[in-house]
């Protein structure tokens, strides 16, 4: 019992650290992308670069984004809750539902509560105001993470890759459609990451002492693939933006095709990488939060 209590204590510490780190990352993204001129410039370059080849992907992008609605979110939440309930996990059903609701409510509060100063960098969208975080990206990521929590261990890894891929595509789609800046999608994934950590703490609190946590259920390989792949994509984004900032004296609308493509592709890699890291962190801890035998 003492060993079990100690393990739960360390897991709780890990989840608190994850929540704090991801919240800090969100604040950093918001501060740099919204309140610093170079951040707004990079976002605008990426958003301008989405015009390259847009006619080829416009239809699938629109289908992906238009499929996300309040009705579809409620339907997905109901399905996720049902999966948990048929497994006899009432606390898990409630927690997964709260994760989805909390993440999406937080995004809406932040989107309408945060302000965006005008540095004259993006005159086309001057009246649009703040768009961070992205609501569509939050919907996709929150559903993906909640699904991983409720799925049985035998299909959890498949669900993690499928969910992370879907959320990443949705995040990039918001950029491709011109609906959101890349920082909006990154911020949305971090909001979901914070709520995932909080949901983990809720599951830990409701977990009984006799619950059997098997180390064999840890998804180390899958978490490593997602985490390392995500970090590499984030590094690629950093390299691309490092090259791009040398041109910061030029208005985004006056840039040539190459820097626009670098801005778009680089930030798209950052969106994909962020989702990969967030999902990897979920996989690292999920076997401790949803044990094989609940007790």
């Amino acid at each position: 019992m003492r060993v079990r209590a100690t393990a739960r204590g360390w897991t709780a510490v890990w989840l608190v650290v994850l929540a704090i780190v991801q919240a800090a990352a969100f604040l950093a993204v918001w501060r740099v992308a919204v309140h610093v001129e170079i951040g707004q410039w990079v976002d605008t370059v990426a958003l301008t670069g989405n015009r390259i080849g847009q006619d080829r992907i416009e239809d699938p992008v629109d289908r992906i984004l238009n499929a996300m609605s309040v009705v579809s979110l409620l339907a997905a939440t109901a399905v996720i809750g049902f999966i948990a309930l048929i497994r006899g996990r009432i606390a898990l059903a409630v927690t997964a539902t709260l994760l989805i609701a909390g993440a999406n409510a937080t995004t809406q509060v932040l989107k309408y509560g945060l302000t965006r100063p005008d540095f004259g960098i993006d005159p086309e969208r001057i009246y649009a105001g703040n768009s961070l975080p992205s609501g569509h990206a939050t919907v996709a990521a929150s559903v993906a993470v909640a699904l991983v929590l409720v799925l049985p261990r035998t299909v959890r890894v498949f669900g993690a890759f499928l969910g992370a891929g879907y959320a990443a595509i949705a995040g990039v789609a918001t950029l491709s459609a011109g609906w959101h800046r890349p920082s909006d999608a990154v911020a949305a994934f971090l909001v979901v990451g914070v709520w995932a950590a909080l949901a983990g703490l809720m599951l830990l609190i409701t977990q009984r002492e006799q619950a059997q946590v098997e180390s064999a259920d840890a998804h180390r390989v899958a978490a490593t693939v997602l985490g390392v792949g995500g970090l590499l994509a984030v590094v690629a984004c950093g390299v691309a933006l490092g090259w791009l900032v040398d041109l910061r004296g030029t208005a985004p609308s006056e840039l040539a095709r190459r820097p626009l493509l670098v801005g778009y592709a680089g930030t798209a890699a950052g969106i994909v990488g962020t989702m990969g890291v967030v999902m990897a962190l979920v996989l690292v801890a999920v076997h401790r939060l949803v044990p094989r035998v609940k007790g």
Side-chain angles (χ1 to χ4, degrees), residues 15 95-96 98-99 145 149 193-205 289:
L15 292 171
T95 301
L98 288 176
L99 188 161
V145 170
L149 290 180
V194 171
W195 270 96
L198 296 177
L201 286 171
M202 291 177 61
L203 290 173
L204 207 60
I205 291 171
L289 307 175

Side-chain angles (χ1 to χ4, degrees), residues 110-202:
L110 290 172
K111 181 184 294 187
Y112 294 105
L114 299 177
T115 59
R116 181 181 180 86
D118 177 27
F119 297 129
I121 296 171
D122 192 8
E124 292 183 14
R125 302 172 186 84
I126 185 174
Y127 298 110
N130 176 62
S131 58
L132 181 148
S134 164
H136 283 77
T138 303
V139 168
S142 62
V143 169
V145 170
L147 181 64
V148 170
L149 290 180
V150 303
L151 284 176
R153 69 185 188 282
T154 53
V155 293
R156 189 177 289 151
V157 169
F158 173 76
F161 278 95
L162 183 65
Y166 170 70
I169 290 172
V172 175
T174 63
L175 172 62
S176 300
W179 290 12
H180 279 284
R181 304 171 178 92
S183 61
D184 299 348
V186 171
F189 294 159
L190 293 172
V191 168
V192 173
V194 171
W195 270 96
L198 296 177
L201 286 171
M202 291 177 61

